């Protein structure tokens, strides 16, 4: 049983953790009202915002986990939005940045935390950006200025690498990546799937 | 407040629906223990399984919604799996099919139901397939045999179209699509984003 699911969210009764009839995995099931409370993987949406001079907007995290490390704007997708809409929202919330979100760049499976990342490219509509509750500092950085050893998450690191590789080639595409296991920072994770080459 | 979230899943107390401090959207918040129960978009994973003769495996739905209409294997992503692992699991559960899942083909935002689809290509490891609790019938079909007017969901329809288009070209890539609004079957949805051309 998951520690946050002890009671039925519909009726408040104590739940059981067992395989419902016709299912194949144990679920949080209410013996009083029959409601099943599913747990599902979560989607993280993000954007790599590019300024007109080619620098990208990076944020220093002001919250846990990985407080003090660097990321581009990204966060949990909300109900009723597309990945692009969510990415634009995150850019405003985390960096006060007005971003025109472009095509998807990267789709990453992170099974060890039950997450899927959807990372877009994007362009800053204005030069304005700045700190927020979530970011202690925001900066426009060239590729050689990116603090590669102080990136908050492997997903962010891989997405940035792919972005700059594609930009050098002058040809963007959508990349897919499976991260095979949890890496302790600053180690790099092993990767599986279509992307074994960049580490 | 969402109808299935009236009580705190951690302590059972009645929840409030309001914007927590430091947040920007109303959440289901417990005034007794402080637990916040988030609602998040769900990921659907699926695979278009190809037989050695090029036919693809389709299933007639034996469950609601869209009972009696056709789909390839697809369903909710489970905790701890990648999209490819989930797609293989769905092929076995829905069609008794042993599928080697290949690269991602299609990523679809469906904001009106708060879902993200991740559809892979794949190959049947054996010719075996058959009905299950979820599928009243399973069939291997050529492109011209697909019941295009009896497809269960627009996401399935678009994924199949892209699969056959890519196969004709001899070049697969990852496609992204935003479905702009709910279509009543058998109408086709308007599309936004990078894929306005196929309707």
């Amino acid at each position: 049983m998951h520690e946050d699911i002890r009671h039925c969210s519909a009726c408040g009764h104590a739940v059981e953790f067992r395989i419902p009839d016709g299912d194949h995995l144990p679920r949080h099931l209410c013996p009083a009202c029959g409601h099943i409370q599913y747990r599902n993987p979560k989607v993280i949406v993000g954007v790599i915002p590019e300024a007109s001079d080619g620098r990208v907007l990076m944020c220093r995290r002001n919250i846990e986990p990985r407080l003090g490390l660097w990321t581009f704007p990204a966060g949990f997708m909300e109900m009723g939005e597309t990945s692009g809409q969510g990415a634009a929202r995150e850019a405003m919330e985390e960096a006060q940045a007005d971003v025109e979100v472009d095509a998807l760049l990267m789709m990453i499976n992170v099974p060890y935390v039950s997450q899927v990342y959807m990372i877009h490219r994007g362009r800053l509509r204005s030069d304005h950006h700045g700190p927020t509750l979530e970011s202690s500092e925001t900066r426009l950085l060239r590729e050689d200025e990116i603090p590669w050893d102080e990136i908050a998450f492997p997903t962010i690191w891989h997405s940035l690498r792919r972005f700059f590789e594609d930009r050098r080639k002058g040809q963007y595409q959508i990349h897919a990546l499976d991260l095979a296991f949890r890496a302790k920072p600053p180690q790099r994770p092993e990767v599986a799937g279509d992307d074994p080459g960049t580490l």
Side-chain angles (χ1 to χ4, degrees), chain A:
Chain A
M1 190 175 306
H2 188 258
E3 59 180 9
D4 283 340
I5 311 183
R6 296 194 193 92
H7 291 265
C8 175
S9 62
C11 80
H13 197 280
V15 294
E16 299 172 356
F17 188 63
R18 62 176 175 82
I19 302 177
D21 293 341
D23 205 337
H24 59 285
L25 287 174
R27 311 288 182 186
H28 297 85
L29 176 63
C30 179
C33 76
H35 179 66
I36 298 175
Q37 191 166 333
Y38 293 96
R39 296 178 65 222
N40 300 98
K42 289 189 173 65
V43 181
I44 310 283
V45 291
V47 61
I48 301 178
E50 197 175 4
S52 53
D53 64 2
R55 291 184 297 172
V56 301
L57 181 62
M58 295 290 290
C59 310
R60 190 192 281 269
R61 284 175 65 84
N62 196 35
I63 50 175
E64 293 289 357
R66 313 289 167 85
L67 189 148
L69 298 184
W70 290 84
T71 181
F72 49 77
F76 289 111
M77 190 179 194
E78 298 279 8
M79 300 293 282
E81 67 186 10
T82 64
S83 54
Q85 290 165 346
R89 176 182 51 71
E90 290 291 340
M92 186 58 72
E93 288 176 14
E94 297 193 349
Q96 302 181 39
D98 183 7
V99 175
E100 180 170 348
V101 174
D102 294 324
L104 195 66
L105 172 76
M106 193 91 184
M107 203 298 306
I108 312 178
N109 279 297
V110 198
Y112 53 79
V113 287
S114 296
Q115 292 178 348
V116 169
Y117 273 65
M118 296 172 64
I119 304 301
H120 288 255
R121 296 182 286 115
R123 285 164 291 169
L124 286 167
R125 286 203 183 90
S126 81
D127 289 339
H128 180 73
H129 62 88
T132 61
L133 285 175
E134 300 177 54
S135 306
S136 59
E137 181 184 357
T138 58
R139 290 181 65 187
L140 289 173
L141 298 174
R142 292 192 314 264
E143 181 175 3
D144 65 326
E145 295 174 323
I146 300 272
W148 292 103
D149 293 330
E150 297 172 48
I151 299 297
F153 301 102
T155 48
I156 303 299
W157 190 91
H158 286 288
S159 298
L160 286 167
R161 285 288 190 197
R162 281 308 179 96
F163 170 76
F164 288 116
E165 283 171 19
D166 279 9
R167 191 168 76 173
R168 270 194 295 278
K169 287 181 201 161
Q171 188 175 1
Y172 295 100
Q173 59 184 108
I174 307 175
H175 304 278
L177 176 66
D178 290 353
L179 292 182
F181 61 83
R182 189 189 303 266
K184 293 198 186 101
Q187 291 178 301
R188 302 283 173 254
E190 293 286 337
V191 296
D194 72 346
D195 194 346
T198 57
L199 293 180

